[in-house]
Amino acid sequence: SRNSLICEFSQKGSLGIYYRFKNDFGKLLYALNCDERTKNEIFEEYFNLYFARELLLILCDLSSLDEDHEAYYSCILHDINTIFLIQASSFTDVLLHINQRIEKIDQLIRRLKYIGNLKEELKLVMTGKQYIALIFKSIRSHICEWKSIKLLVLIDEYENISAFQQTINTYIKQTG
């Protein structure tokens, strides 16, 4: 049940998300026909959206097991709608929105392989928001058992991140 899951995570003091960095994605992103700043912005947006999606999957699972605390999830959904500037009626709708955003970034990456300087298109796709922190802050504020829980992001094949290690290290420093 939801209460046993929430209590178990609370007792452990952390919630973990596993991410396997694919070397081909890193190489493709690094080879884009744009400046380093733009590459890092694309990587950060993608990284944030990927982990936001993982947090939403956890919320979907928890909320499906816990109909007694619908108000918690309603408040979190409201916060997430504000974060993404959308009006989703469920976590599943938010997942669809995130998947569409990730697909737009994928399309942009495919186009940037051949055409540089798509600044106007980048503005439509990139927000620079720290989705991971914002969503987790909402979860912690509405699920009282998780007020002090930590979010652990486990990155497998970290060495493949190469050009983007500095970006990841910044996240580590901010949360460590």
Side-chain angles (χ1 to χ4, degrees), residues 16-74:
I17 295 175
Y18 173 82
Y19 176 65
R20 182 171 184 248
F21 189 82
K22 296 178 182 171
N23 196 25
D24 54 342
F25 174 75
K27 286 180 181 178
L28 175 64
L29 197 52
Y30 187 72
L32 291 178
N33 186 16
C34 58
D35 60 64
E36 295 302 312
R37 181 173 178 237
T38 302
K39 290 175 190 177
N40 276 317
E41 288 173 358
I42 293 169
F43 175 79
E44 272 194 81
E45 190 79 13
Y46 200 91
F47 180 81
N48 265 283
L49 287 168
Y50 177 85
F51 288 109
R53 181 174 61 191
E54 293 300 311
L55 285 174
L56 262 292
L57 288 169
I58 292 167
L59 286 171
C60 282
D61 289 345
L62 287 175
S63 65
S64 71
L65 295 171
D66 181 30
E67 295 172 358
D68 296 336
H69 294 89
E70 203 171 305
Y72 288 159
Y73 302 109
S74 179

Side-chain angles (χ1 to χ4, degrees), residues 60-131:
C60 282
D61 289 345
L62 287 175
S63 65
S64 71
L65 295 171
D66 181 30
E67 295 172 358
D68 296 336
H69 294 89
E70 203 171 305
Y72 288 159
Y73 302 109
S74 179
C75 291
I76 294 169
L77 180 61
H78 172 68
D79 290 351
I80 291 171
N81 278 329
T82 302
I83 292 165
F84 283 103
L85 304 174
I86 59 174
Q87 295 181 342
S89 59
S90 69
F91 293 131
T92 304
D93 291 343
V94 179
L95 281 169
L96 292 172
H97 172 78
I98 291 171
N99 287 336
Q100 289 170 350
R101 296 273 309 279
I102 290 171
E103 179 57 32
K104 285 181 184 178
I105 292 173
D106 286 340
Q107 290 171 358
L108 184 67
I109 289 170
R110 286 191 293 274
R111 291 188 62 209
L112 273 173
K113 283 192 310 187
Y114 309 108
I115 305 167
N117 196 16
L118 297 173
K119 292 283 185 198
E120 292 306 312
E121 288 187 48
L122 276 173
K123 288 178 189 175
L124 298 174
V125 176
M126 314 302 279
T127 65
K129 285 189 179 179
Q130 303 280 324
Y131 299 116

